[in-house]
Amino acid sequence: MTFARSAVALAALTALAASATPDDAPFANPARIDTVRPAAIEGNWTAMKMPDGGRTAFASLSYLMAFDDDWGFGPGFYGTAKGNYGGIFTVGFTGQRRWRLSSNTHLAASLYVGAGGGLSSQRMSFGGGLMLRPEISLRTEHGPWYTGVGLSQIRFPSGNVKSGVGLAFTVGRAMDFVSFSPEDAGRQGRAGRRAGIGFDEIALTGGVEKPSAGSRTRGGRAYTGRVGKAGADMRQYIADGSWWGFEAAGAAQGGVDGYMEVLGQIGQDWPLLGSPRLRMGGQLAGGLGGGGDVDTGNGWLLRAGPTLRWITPWGPTLRLDGGYTYAPSGAYRAPFLRAVLAMPLDRTPRLIADDPGGTVREQQLGISVMRLPRVRFKDGREEAVSHLAVNMSREFSRHTYGAAQAGSAAVGSAGAYSFGLFGLGVQSDPLWGNLRLGAEWLVGAAGGGGIKVGGGAVTQAELWAQWQPAERLRLRAGLGQFRTLRSDDQSAPLTHLQLNYAFGALQR
């Protein structure tokens, strides 16, 4: 698979950058944790009636970080999880205001702004893809957990998909967001707890699924052939060999561009042949998937299988995962095999006296708006399309970083077009007025919304300039080119604006 080979080559370059020699800095005066803010992982369930008369429900998962005592913000995604609408996804950001009512209750008002969509018809349109979801809810806290009920509405303003005002149910877990100052980047530091978003490992994945007999398209035709996928996952290790995390992937080959999946996972492995670095075990995953004319029914997916992991002496980890993907309410069943290259972000916390420390690296989390003035559609027309995306980056050294983006079309006529990209970048030292210049190259998967992307494998290159209006804010503008990897179906210039929140995390 051409795209898989490209992804493996990119991952190897990323690993080399990650293992670069740390910046020289004395350890006699290490950087210390600068900020501890409240944070939360929050999910909700919102039922609605679709324009074609069917009923569905959107399930969501969001990560929220407190900006101050009252306001929070963070990325999230929504996907359909009821009825025969599997494959409707949006990605975006939530802003939330909370009011403390008592020691264990609070009132929350939220607004989610995202982009995406799904399979359209003459009776159901997502328009340009922009989605809005306001909510007000009352929550009751039970230790670090909280549950709530409230009123919300889902609407795609440029389409006809719109719910009435109805009940929404919320469950969440409070936690901390711990970080160093981004000004400490390059210094040695110590921390007795995880910093940043709290994951120990990020991985790039590339693999293939072979749908079994009985798998069908949404139109009822038998599905034959292979589905090549590319994606990423993030893990947190809770004990030796035990982990939980999230994975996301999209179709990059196989004629089902627009297919997307997001799953939560748990797993356990054990030393193999007496070596703590070579480990074998298994993992279970469940979540939502669909799109690309793959019949996943209401969208729920289950996945299970063995995993083989080698922790290299240089830091990165190589994995080989196998198993079986199953859509309980749809007509999709497929064994899969994927290769994984994972890079360490952090490690299980130790007492600070026992912590060997590491190098503080700047990490950024933010929102992107991209404008493509000429996008080619499958019906032959060309139109301008604007994308809304969540982006994340992490320095590997002073001049290199890794980056990832996930987003969808928000303005134009390409509602339901989505993409996921990951790759490498280079950057200058701060110049006059804290200005930085840089360049990055990303690859990934995209599709849906009638945009012509071949099998789904795409690439994006960009030159950018970044300003720092405040210690933790970054404003970036870039010019670049977007194109398909496996064909000449698409090549379009782009302009790109990012607003990011910056923080320091340890590279250990």
Side-chain angles (χ1 to χ4, degrees):
M1 186 173 62
T2 302
F3 180 72
R5 287 196 294 269
S6 299
V8 170
L10 176 64
L13 289 173
T14 307
L16 182 61
S19 61
T21 303
D23 302 330
D24 292 332
F27 206 72
N29 183 28
R32 301 288 184 179
I33 289 173
D34 173 74
T35 303
V36 180
R37 298 181 186 274
I41 291 180
E42 188 172 293
N44 63 54
W45 180 271
T46 309
M48 68 176 289
K49 184 177 180 180
M50 301 296 273
D52 62 359
R55 292 191 176 275
T56 189
F58 277 80
S60 77
L61 188 70
S62 300
Y63 179 85
L64 299 172
M65 182 184 66
F67 184 77
D68 57 25
D69 290 340
D70 301 318
W71 290 91
F73 68 96
F77 85 97
Y78 281 74
T80 46
K82 183 181 178 182
N84 193 33
Y85 297 96
I88 300 176
F89 282 97
T90 69
V91 178
F93 258 75
T94 297
Q96 187 176 100
R97 172 69 157 90
R98 294 186 179 186
W99 292 268
R100 172 63 57 185
L101 301 181
S102 71
S103 60
N104 65 346
T105 59
H106 66 268
L107 184 70
S110 307
L111 176 63
Y112 169 82
V113 180
L119 189 64
S120 298
S121 67
Q122 291 183 344
R123 299 180 60 189
M124 186 169 67
S125 169
F126 297 93
L130 179 67
M131 172 181 156
L132 302 176
R133 183 186 178 276
E135 178 193 79
I136 185 166
S137 61
L138 181 66
R139 286 92 174 277
T140 302
E141 298 157 17
H142 318 273
W145 294 89
Y146 58 90
T147 56
V149 62
L151 298 175
S152 71
Q153 182 188 53
I154 290 174
R155 62 184 302 165
F156 289 79
S158 58
N160 66 352
V161 178
K162 175 183 176 182
S163 74
V165 176
L167 290 178
F169 302 93
T170 299
V171 61
R173 190 183 193 283
M175 57 186 64
D176 289 335
F177 182 91
V178 175
S179 67
F180 293 81
S181 167
E183 303 297 330
D184 288 331
R187 293 182 60 193
Q188 298 296 299
R190 285 197 176 103
R193 56 201 304 189
R194 290 183 178 92
I197 57 177
F199 288 98
D200 301 330
E201 189 176 85
I202 186 169
L204 310 181
T205 68
V208 64
E209 286 187 353
K210 181 68 171 69
S212 58
S215 294
R216 298 188 177 277
T217 67
R218 283 195 170 272
R221 293 179 291 105
Y223 187 84
T224 58
R226 301 186 307 172
V227 180
K229 292 182 179 178
D233 71 26
M234 302 183 77
R235 287 182 175 185
Q236 183 187 99
Y237 289 89
I238 53 180
D240 186 29
S242 300
W243 69 86
W244 70 274
F246 300 99
E247 60 181 85
Q253 185 186 46
V256 290
D257 61 276
Y259 176 86
M260 179 181 176
E261 60 189 26
V262 180
L263 300 95
Q265 61 172 233
I266 59 172
Q268 172 72 54
D269 60 19
W270 298 270
L272 187 64
L273 304 176
S275 170
R277 292 188 176 275
L278 184 63
R279 309 179 68 91
M280 188 169 186
Q283 57 183 342
L284 302 172
L288 301 174
D293 202 20
V294 175
D295 183 6
T296 57
N298 60 20
W300 286 105
L301 289 180
L302 301 175
R303 180 173 293 158
T307 178
L308 180 66
R309 179 165 64 118
W310 178 45
I311 306 169
T312 72
W314 313 285
T317 293
L318 300 177
R319 293 200 330 254
L320 188 64
D321 297 339
Y324 198 75
T325 300
Y326 171 59
S329 68
Y332 188 75
R333 295 157 179 79
F336 72 90
L337 184 68
R338 66 186 176 199
V340 182
L341 188 143
M343 291 153 289
L345 295 177
D346 214 322
R347 63 180 59 165
T348 304
R350 306 180 184 182
L351 294 174
I352 196 164
D354 300 325
D355 181 23
T359 304
V360 177
R361 297 298 182 196
E362 183 176 299
Q363 192 163 326
Q364 297 184 26
L365 179 65
I367 189 168
S368 291
V369 177
M370 283 173 277
R371 174 76 170 175
L372 283 72
R374 297 190 309 276
V375 175
R376 188 178 303 166
F377 286 71
K378 292 178 181 179
D379 61 7
R381 73 185 192 278
E382 288 189 356
E383 293 184 8
V385 174
S386 295
H387 299 162
L388 182 69
V390 173
N391 55 265
M392 184 176 72
S393 67
R394 181 183 174 103
E395 290 183 344
F396 295 135
S397 68
R398 285 170 54 192
H399 300 123
T400 61
Y401 66 91
Q405 294 176 10
S408 297
V411 179
S413 60
Y417 172 81
S418 296
F419 59 90
L421 303 166
F422 49 82
L424 286 173
V426 295
Q427 62 187 9
S428 71
D429 288 324
L431 304 173
W432 56 94
N434 285 322
L435 173 72
R436 279 184 188 259
L437 302 177
E440 69 183 32
W441 175 54
L442 309 177
V443 298
I451 292 181
K452 196 172 185 180
V453 290
V458 297
T459 184
Q460 180 175 303
E462 180 182 342
L463 298 174
W464 55 261
Q466 176 182 277
W467 293 266
Q468 181 180 328
E471 179 191 3
R472 290 177 177 259
L473 290 180
R474 305 289 185 267
L475 181 62
R476 196 179 105 171
L479 298 173
Q481 190 80 10
F482 168 86
R483 59 169 296 117
T484 49
L485 265 176
R486 299 173 56 85
S487 67
D488 295 326
D489 286 340
Q490 195 73 245
S491 180
L494 66 88
T495 56
H496 189 181
L497 292 176
Q498 287 186 12
L499 179 62
N500 295 330
Y501 180 82
F503 54 92
L506 284 183
Q507 175 181 304
R508 291 192 262 200

